[in-house]
Amino acid sequence: MKLSLLDGAQQAIAYPGILKDHRRVCDAMEDPTIREFVEKYIAVIAEHAVSAPKGINLKDYRQEVMWRLSKCDTELLSLAREGCANLQECCMSCVPSLPKFDAPAVRPLAVVLGCWVRYIAATFSEEGTGYEHAAEQQWGFLQPLAVALWTGAQNAGYGEKPKDEAAKFLAAAFEENLKETVLEETLATFLVALNLEKVSLALSSMGTGVPGL
């Protein structure tokens, strides 16, 4: 439960936070758009991919996670270290539990992965601030694929999206079978939006469809 919700939420904060020039988790949590997105991410994962141990109230635990994140002074770039392995363990491991071919359920994960792709493919935030990439064992093959995917999003014409590039990137990075999901297409769609809009607007435009949020 902690791995999927708390650790997964930290990954969900890291990449949009870096792209918006935030330095620490607590700083990013003060950003209303990121905070709202993280709350939606946690809600989706809690609904579909987490079973609470006996005696644990999942709603209360979700609130505790949000509180802990708001007090966490961990630097975002440290969370990006070995991002591929962290995302696999904390986020992609939830994919088999998500409803099949369900776009709303997969959108929060697609947003996290899209911000990760943008982080890998460039060396500057949306405000133009430069950053150094954290250590990544898989960098040699991930970076060219991320660049190809981000370039595809930048060059997409009206109604187009880099779905083939998204499929290649995800297949290289992760072990999950994605045939019964719409993650590839949703990731490609988000990246086109991220290229056209600021991070905050792109996050807001990718609504999750979670009841009550």
Side-chain angles (χ1 to χ4, degrees):
M1 187 169 71
K2 173 183 176 294
L3 187 68
S4 299
L5 294 181
L6 179 59
D7 297 348
Q10 288 184 330
Q11 292 297 305
I13 292 169
Y15 301 103
I18 290 170
L19 297 183
K20 293 197 70 181
D21 280 345
H22 297 304
R23 187 172 67 86
R24 302 174 301 171
V25 172
C26 56
D27 300 330
M29 285 293 286
E30 292 180 0
D31 184 318
T33 307
I34 291 181
R35 185 180 183 89
E36 181 181 1
F37 167 67
V38 171
E39 188 174 13
K40 290 178 179 179
Y41 177 89
I42 290 172
V44 170
I45 298 303
E47 179 181 358
H48 298 297
V50 171
S51 297
K54 187 176 181 179
I56 299 295
N57 183 296
L58 193 53
K59 185 176 181 180
D60 290 345
Y61 185 73
R62 284 168 50 188
Q63 293 176 346
E64 178 185 342
V65 167
M66 293 295 291
W67 180 84
R68 291 172 68 176
L69 293 170
S70 70
K71 302 298 181 182
C72 178
D73 63 359
T74 301
E75 294 201 1
L76 298 178
L77 279 173
S78 72
L79 294 173
R81 188 176 300 123
E82 303 304 338
C84 188
N86 290 333
L87 287 165
Q88 172 67 60
E89 184 177 26
C90 303
C91 303
M92 292 297 291
S93 59
C94 297
V95 168
S97 300
L98 298 178
K100 297 177 181 179
F101 304 110
D102 189 315
V106 84
R107 279 179 195 147
L109 179 56
V111 169
V112 176
L113 296 175
C115 290
W116 181 48
V117 168
R118 164 64 172 80
Y119 155 81
I120 295 173
T123 57
F124 52 89
S125 71
E126 69 174 13
E127 302 299 333
T129 305
Y131 55 76
E132 293 186 7
H133 294 103
E136 173 62 72
Q137 289 186 5
Q138 312 302 332
W139 185 261
F141 70 85
L142 279 180
Q143 199 265 348
L145 291 170
V147 169
L149 176 49
W150 179 239
T151 301
Q154 291 177 304
N155 295 337
Y158 180 76
E160 297 177 341
K161 62 188 74 173
K163 184 177 177 180
D164 290 344
E165 291 87 346
K168 290 178 183 177
F169 178 84
L170 292 172
F174 304 116
E175 61 190 35
E176 273 69 26
N177 183 339
L178 303 177
K179 290 183 179 180
E180 294 185 330
T181 78
V182 290
L183 183 56
E184 296 165 355
E185 182 173 356
T186 310
L187 171 58
T189 299
F190 173 72
L191 284 169
V192 171
L194 186 59
N195 175 59
L196 296 174
E197 305 164 349
K198 291 283 190 178
V199 172
S200 292
L201 187 56
L203 291 181
S204 299
S205 68
M206 292 290 284
T208 64
V210 177
L213 287 176

